[in-house]
Amino acid sequence: MTQYLAASDRYEQLPYNHVGRSGLRLAPLALGLWHNFGDIDALSNQRALLRYAFDHGITHFDMANNYGPSAGSAETNFGQLYKEDFKPYRDELVLSSKAGFYMWPGPYGEYGSRKYIIASADQSLRRTGLDYFDIFYSHRYDPNTPLEETAEALDHLVRQGKALYIGISNYGVEETAAITKIFRELKTPYIIHQDAYNMFHQEPATSGLFDLLEKEGTGAIVFSPLAQGQLTGRYLNGIPDDSRAVREGDWMQKEVKAHLPKIQQLNAIAQQRRQSLAEMALAWDLQQPAVMTVLIGASKVSQLEDNLKVLDHLDFTEDELKAIDNVLKA
């Protein structure tokens, strides 16, 4: 195998913006390893995706302990590719992982206790072969563990040198406000909040979460920007037999069918903008002031190539935003 040499012009292609009020800067797009990096996926394709992303200025790769399938395999696979391809570029990468969802049996294998978070971080570091994560997240709010305990466990990871920055994911407004106060008292470098956000799921904006993050100087990074593929051209003519909607079951098929008229109307607006529906959906996320990075997933390099085109046309006219809003509210 030929030794990987990153593209020499990789930093000439994307802007890099500060994450909230921190000194860390990220590109508008980051690559998520939630899907397509597990045991069932070809390592050669994973390698191609990571190389293409980095060659085109995407420096942030986002993982979690339970990503796969099987759980943990995305970190293990990344660890192999990191060792073979990316280790010389460690200081140019922002690598993140999370702890919160189920990972092992018994009372200590999920949620937000100090025991689980620290054990999970150690396991993730071993799987990836990293000395530290740039960002480590609490993956979900734990209603049965005091927020102080979860915050102090994350703060401990920073003080141990196992994480440079801290984030939280899937926290509601009240929980976010409460843990932000604790982090401030601890002087923890909490800088980023990760949640689902797209045209069909606007709760972070409507609930006041984005307003809170802007007020506190916390950056927002969003996942599922294309609503599990609904905001692409995949479903414009119905549900293909090999689609994710078929794999996910009845709930997603019902959702796609319910959204289909809106998908088709949104696609017409995108065509008027001379964009694909996916490009417009990503641009729509990025026009939200609180959102500084969108996590994209890809199963093929061509999808990454298409997603990067969003940066050619990020602006919206007032009429375009109004037309999109009318479709979504109908």
Side-chain angles (χ1 to χ4, degrees):
M1 181 177 62
T2 304
Q3 177 65 39
Y4 169 60
L5 293 176
S8 60
D9 63 347
R10 59 190 178 277
Y11 295 117
E12 300 172 13
Q13 305 180 50
L14 301 178
Y16 295 87
N17 301 314
H18 283 278
V19 181
R21 287 198 288 261
S22 77
L24 184 67
R25 292 193 296 163
L26 294 177
L29 300 179
L31 182 62
L33 276 60
W34 184 11
H35 299 290
N36 308 309
F37 285 83
D39 287 336
I40 62 174
D41 304 293
L43 195 66
S44 59
N45 190 57
Q46 297 177 43
R47 186 191 307 276
L49 290 168
L50 290 168
R51 286 184 174 187
Y52 187 90
F54 189 53
D55 282 344
H56 290 79
I58 295 176
T59 59
H60 181 23
F61 300 150
D62 181 70
M63 297 168 275
N65 58 356
N66 64 326
Y67 287 178
S70 58
S73 60
E75 289 182 329
T76 299
N77 289 335
F78 175 80
Q80 180 176 338
L81 296 171
Y82 167 74
K83 180 180 178 181
E84 295 174 358
D85 283 4
F86 293 97
K87 196 169 184 177
Y89 303 101
R90 176 63 185 98
D91 293 336
E92 300 180 39
L93 295 169
V94 175
L95 305 175
S96 62
S97 194
K98 314 179 195 73
F101 287 93
Y102 178 85
M103 273 301 288
W104 62 85
Y108 320 120
E110 61 180 326
Y111 278 114
S113 71
R114 180 181 181 90
K115 181 169 177 61
Y116 170 70
I117 285 177
I118 293 175
S120 183
D122 287 341
Q123 291 180 19
S124 291
L125 287 171
R126 286 195 294 269
R127 280 191 290 266
T128 56
L130 299 172
D131 296 322
Y132 66 92
F133 287 108
D134 296 277
I135 304 169
F136 197 83
Y137 291 86
S138 169
H139 205 169
R140 61 172 170 170
Y141 168 64
D142 180 355
N144 298 310
T145 297
L147 277 174
E148 289 83 0
E149 180 175 340
T150 300
E152 288 169 2
L154 294 165
D155 183 77
H156 182 69
L157 293 176
V158 174
R159 298 181 190 280
Q160 282 189 314
K162 295 175 181 177
L164 300 184
Y165 301 96
I166 292 302
I168 59 174
S169 179
N170 301 304
Y171 277 56
V173 180
E174 292 183 7
E175 296 80 19
T176 298
I179 202 168
T180 298
K181 182 179 178 182
I182 299 168
F183 283 138
R184 188 182 299 114
E185 292 170 351
L186 293 170
K187 300 188 185 305
T188 307
Y190 159 61
I191 66 168
I192 193 166
H193 187 293
Q194 186 175 139
D195 209 343
Y197 180 66
N198 57 63
M199 289 178 170
F200 295 147
H201 178 81
Q202 298 184 37
E203 186 175 347
T206 59
S207 69
L209 177 61
F210 282 162
D211 290 338
L212 173 65
L213 297 180
E214 284 195 273
K215 176 184 174 183
E216 297 292 348
T218 305
I221 180 170
V222 298
F223 63 90
S224 295
L226 301 179
Q228 293 82 43
Q230 294 182 67
L231 293 167
T232 69
R234 186 77 163 139
Y235 300 107
L236 286 170
N237 299 308
I239 300 175
D241 292 336
D242 62 345
S243 70
R244 184 173 177 182
V246 172
R247 296 196 303 272
E248 293 287 346
D250 290 343
W251 73 269
M252 189 169 177
Q253 293 177 46
K254 290 178 181 178
E255 189 170 289
V256 170
K257 290 176 181 177
H259 285 156
L260 184 56
K262 294 183 179 182
I263 292 170
Q264 292 170 334
Q265 293 174 62
L266 290 169
N267 185 63
I269 297 172
Q271 288 182 326
Q272 292 173 1
R273 285 170 50 85
R274 297 186 179 181
Q275 282 185 310
S276 69
L277 176 55
E279 289 168 37
M280 186 179 78
L282 293 173
W284 186 87
D285 279 10
L286 286 166
Q287 59 85 37
Q288 164 64 244
V291 175
M292 48 77 195
T293 297
V294 171
L295 276 166
I296 55 175
S299 60
K300 298 180 289 187
V301 166
S302 59
Q303 292 173 332
L304 276 180
E305 184 179 5
D306 289 341
N307 286 341
L308 282 163
K309 293 176 183 176
V310 66
L311 300 172
D312 296 334
H313 191 180
L314 288 173
D315 296 333
F316 289 84
T317 66
E318 290 186 13
D319 287 343
E320 288 170 340
L321 289 173
K322 185 176 180 180
I324 292 169
D325 193 51
N326 288 338
V327 170
L328 296 175
K329 288 182 176 179

